[in-house]
Amino acid sequence: MPYVLGIDIGAGSTRAAVCRRDSGPGRGWGLPRPVTLGVRDRAVSSALAMTPEGDVVPGDLGRQPAETAVGGYLRRVGDSSPMLFAGDRFPAHGLVAAMARWVVDRVWQQLDEPPERVALAYPSGWGGGRLHLVHAALAEADLAQTALVTRARAVVECHQAAGRVPAVGGLLLAYRIGGSTCEVTVAAPHGPGRLELIGGAELDEPAGFDVEGATAADARAILMPTVDLAVQTVRDCRIAPGDLSAVLIAGGSAPVYPHVSDLLAAAFPVPVLRDQDPPMTVAAGAALAVRPRAHRPSPQQQPLGPAPADPPETPTDAWPQVASSRPPRPPVAIAAVRAGEQ
């Protein structure tokens, strides 16, 4: 059954979700579902390791000690210095593409067919330079068709699909807290697949990892700077907190949600919403963002006879579909950067 794949590479963990095409008369797309990437867990470590055979795998699935795996490459994208990995030096964007390639192959192996489309969520504050590097690296990993989707758009798409916020109108604050960063973005939806990013900011510390094992009072003190960042970002956009339509929470872990929800509710006199599965919100929203959208004719253009069972579709992005001739689970090749190269 055809499907589209959304990938969320975080600082600590990587997750994926798929939307599958329904088999009914309208052949629409179902709701996003998480994929089990690990042996038993949905998430795998974002750190990468190389097997003796030369395959690149998540650090917690490799045969080498997990502490030898290399992480932190997402925030290094755009740096001039390559990263030391498996005894050689590689650009950070190459490691991002290696993780994306591994996820695609893992899901392909489980579902016995390639995805129709792939979406990779990225930090909403990235500019064209970083996106160009990642696109080039994805092309080298045979993923040139991958759509790059901002995390903010993924969060909004997920909440829109669940009917929590409308597709058009209003101002939204997307608050995504990860293991080591917090990202806030003010956005305005202008229709299906159309989102204007008005402003945003990111804070390296504190984040989700800092809350583990903390008391309720300590957790709120740790998380308060992220809420202050959200308030300041909204003000920098010349928007009053009460002018927002909603605050949308994504990411984090179970100990974080009650504290974040209470703190944001105290700072913003608007609904504070979170998905039933916040750690999967970005991956699910990325998959939703690249579903082919059915193009239906207007009432004046409706044919007199019976409507066709399978209406034509207008893709949300311009990238072609994944070639179906690729064999399952090939090794990932990343071009190394030698010490003397620039």
Side-chain angles (χ1 to χ4, degrees), residues 273-299:
L273 310 173
R274 69 172 188 250
D275 190 57
Q276 293 181 346
D277 193 359
M280 292 300 305
T281 297
V282 173
L288 289 165
V290 289
R291 293 173 301 170
R293 302 184 187 275
H295 174 70
R296 301 185 183 276
S298 63

Side-chain angles (χ1 to χ4, degrees), residues 45-183:
S45 171
S46 292
L48 290 171
M50 186 174 288
T51 68
E53 295 77 21
D55 295 339
V56 179
V57 299
D60 52 351
L61 300 183
R63 282 173 282 171
Q64 302 295 327
E67 56 267 19
T68 65
V70 175
Y73 45 83
L74 197 67
R75 66 172 59 193
R76 292 280 304 276
V77 171
D79 287 1
S80 58
S81 301
M83 299 182 69
L84 183 63
F85 174 61
D88 217 328
R89 294 190 176 276
F90 298 85
H93 50 275
L95 298 180
V96 173
M99 174 55 84
R101 179 74 259 176
W102 182 89
V103 172
V104 170
D105 293 335
R106 180 76 157 187
V107 178
W108 184 339
Q109 182 186 52
Q110 292 184 21
L111 302 184
D112 294 324
E113 61 180 325
E116 282 196 4
R117 298 183 181 184
V118 180
L120 174 63
Y122 67 90
S124 303
W126 276 12
R130 287 174 169 173
L131 296 180
H132 175 77
L133 292 173
V134 173
H135 262 309
L138 289 168
E140 290 181 5
D142 200 15
L143 291 173
Q145 71 293 325
T146 300
L148 295 180
V149 177
T150 63
R151 287 172 175 166
R153 179 184 172 188
V155 172
V156 172
E157 289 270 1
C158 191
H159 285 272
Q160 286 176 335
R164 299 185 191 96
V165 293
V168 181
L171 295 171
L172 302 171
L173 175 67
Y175 172 102
R176 179 225 176 241
I177 185 164
S180 61
T181 61
C182 178
E183 176 184 313

Side-chain angles (χ1 to χ4, degrees), residues 12-38:
S13 301
T14 292
R15 294 176 171 84
V18 298
C19 290
R20 308 205 72 161
R21 187 191 289 274
D22 295 333
S23 57
R27 296 192 67 197
W29 291 86
L31 296 175
R33 303 296 182 192
V35 181
T36 300
L37 297 180

